[in-house]
Amino acid sequence: MSASDPTPLSKIPNFDPRAVPVRAVDSHLPPVPADRLTAEAMRQRFLAPPVWQPEVRAEPRFVQRQPAFAAVLVPVVMRPEPTLLLTQRTTQLRNHSGQIAFPGGRVDAQDAGVTDAALREAEEEVGLARDQVEVLGTLPTYTTGTAFVITPVVGLVRPDFTLMPNPAEVAEAFEVPLRFLLDPSHHHRHAHEFEGVTREWFSMPWPGTHEGGQGGTERFIWGATAGMLRNLYRFMAA
């Protein structure tokens, strides 16, 4: 560990984000209408995007190192009620261990581009075959505090898949209703000071009190994943 990289990536975050108080909930914003969440409506939105602005583009930097380019798949499973496929990362991973994430990772030299990287990573991490995915397009890049420049690749997924999560990377794969994630009444705002820098972020705990989810296993969606979902909300609501 060099002086230019004082904080090991494996130690970030070194706080429990669940313990940071909620500062506000964006219940004043409208949810994305259900008729925009159909497969055809999403296709048309990516074919003719509205005028919009991403809300979250970059986190405060926690490490000084060269940016690493990455891609994630934002897999919308086209069930009667569309869901989003997410993963719980294993606790032994060096980067962002134990967190909830989209399938994805670094863009490798052999990848044809960010879309190819996202599809490859989804297949490697959870066994989602690329022929199950209809790629719609990409959202603006999101830069994490650990200097990953992530391109979210949005795709529609046929629901007849069988997943095979890689136990070295993925503790579990699960689905959350898309309408829940694109309803700002479930978007919680937080702020926390870390090494002299105030970091602000969203969280979207699932199940939430709005869904009567007491008694289930809470999925604490936060940080970069929640930030990219907030941008997806802005794109779909514009």
Side-chain angles (χ1 to χ4, degrees):
M1 181 171 59
S2 67
S4 62
D5 188 9
T7 307
L9 297 183
S10 59
K11 300 301 182 183
I12 297 175
N14 68 345
F15 62 93
D16 182 357
R18 295 171 181 80
V20 178
V22 175
R23 300 182 66 186
V25 179
D26 284 353
S27 53
H28 62 287
L29 295 173
V32 174
D35 61 5
R36 294 190 186 179
L37 303 182
T38 66
E40 187 55 34
M42 294 190 70
R43 290 187 189 103
Q44 291 304 315
R45 180 149 291 245
F46 276 88
L47 284 172
V51 176
W52 75 291
Q53 290 293 327
E55 185 171 346
V56 191
R57 293 298 300 266
E59 300 173 358
R61 289 286 292 272
F62 294 125
V63 296
Q64 298 301 318
R65 67 185 186 100
Q66 289 298 312
F69 293 93
V72 297
L73 183 64
V74 182
V76 179
V77 184
M78 298 314 300
R79 302 194 185 280
E81 179 179 348
T83 63
L84 195 71
L85 178 65
L86 294 166
T87 69
Q88 179 92 41
R89 293 168 64 83
T90 59
T91 56
Q92 70 265 29
L93 289 173
R94 182 170 183 262
N95 298 328
H96 311 292
S97 63
Q99 296 187 21
I100 290 172
F102 298 113
R106 289 176 183 262
V107 177
D108 291 342
Q110 67 267 28
D111 292 323
V114 291
T115 296
D116 188 47
L119 293 172
R120 174 185 56 77
E121 285 282 351
E123 194 158 17
E124 292 176 358
E125 285 188 7
V126 297
L128 181 62
R130 62 178 62 210
D131 62 7
Q132 293 281 133
V133 183
E134 176 190 343
V135 174
L136 298 181
T138 62
L139 295 175
T141 59
Y142 181 102
T143 303
T144 70
T146 49
F148 284 98
V149 182
I150 304 171
T151 299
V153 177
V154 182
L156 303 180
V157 180
R158 299 202 312 270
D160 58 338
F161 56 77
T162 299
L163 298 182
M164 295 183 63
N166 179 348
E169 298 184 56
V170 176
E172 189 176 1
F174 62 96
E175 298 176 38
V176 177
L178 187 60
R179 66 178 177 85
F180 176 91
L181 296 169
L182 299 188
D183 181 346
S185 68
H186 304 141
H187 296 185
H188 301 175
R189 293 178 178 268
H190 304 257
H192 177 73
E193 185 173 315
F194 176 75
E195 294 189 346
V197 177
T198 299
R199 178 181 182 180
E200 299 182 10
W201 72 86
F202 290 99
S203 74
M204 303 167 188
W206 166 259
T209 55
H210 294 280
E211 296 295 312
Q214 293 88 346
T217 300
E218 183 186 75
R219 313 291 188 173
F220 194 76
I221 304 163
W222 79 289
T225 302
M228 287 181 274
L229 284 171
R230 179 70 171 202
N231 287 344
L232 179 62
Y233 163 75
R234 289 297 188 185
F235 174 75
M236 296 299 298

